Amino acid sequence: MSKHGGETGSAEQKPRSPLYDYVDLTLDGRRDTTAPDAPEGADLPEHAATLTDAPDDAERRRREFAVLLGEFRRTPVLVPVDEAGDPLTGDFGGVRWIYAFSDEPALARFALARGEGGREWAYQRWLGARLLDAMVPAVGVPCGVALDCADGEDGMVFPPVRGVVPDEVAVDVDGGTEAA
């Protein structure tokens, strides 16, 4: 076998990107994550009661986001970089988003979604805290982090707001005081 995906021979064949191997592993490793139907009269799981006991839905979602933010800040993520070594970004909704990925299969899905699965993707491994506390302020425009953005609902965004990024670059803060 060769890097061309077949027997050695024709040099005209386009090489198969190693990114496809990561996607193949992801697809092979997926398993049914749906919970089996509970028999009638079965009690809800213990944690379900704590979620519904929240004072209101918005407060519950804030707490869930705070947990995810804490996990992200402590976790090394993959940040694809361009030829100059700058993080790959995209602009959407007036915000520049730094792309970050939880693992190589997530980066591979992103590359394939962009139609760029055939090229080599350079990346660096950074802590989420470094992205939010150092890189976002260095960008100079409203900036957040998009984690696993090719994964639909499984992706996550960390917007440039108070509590996520430093106050001096948060869009909902004006000079250290809340914007009106």
Side-chain angles (χ1 to χ4, degrees), residues 128-170:
R130 180 177 175 204
L131 277 174
L132 295 172
D133 298 341
M135 182 51 66
V136 165
V139 171
V141 297
C143 183
V145 176
L147 178 67
D148 296 340
C149 58
D151 291 347
E153 291 182 14
D154 291 334
M156 185 71 185
V157 294
F158 298 97
V161 296
R162 182 178 31 151
V164 176
V165 299
D167 284 354
E168 54 272 7
V169 294

Side-chain angles (χ1 to χ4, degrees), residues 14-20 111-112 115-121:
K14 186 175 181 180
R16 183 175 190 266
S17 171
L19 290 175
Y20 286 100
L112 294 174
E116 298 180 37
R119 75 172 179 90
E120 188 100 9
W121 283 74

Side-chain angles (χ1 to χ4, degrees), residues 61-74:
R61 287 184 302 214
R62 273 193 280 282
R63 286 195 307 264
E64 289 173 353
F65 181 78
V67 170
L68 291 172
L69 176 61
E71 273 184 53
F72 176 73
R73 292 183 67 78
R74 293 183 298 272

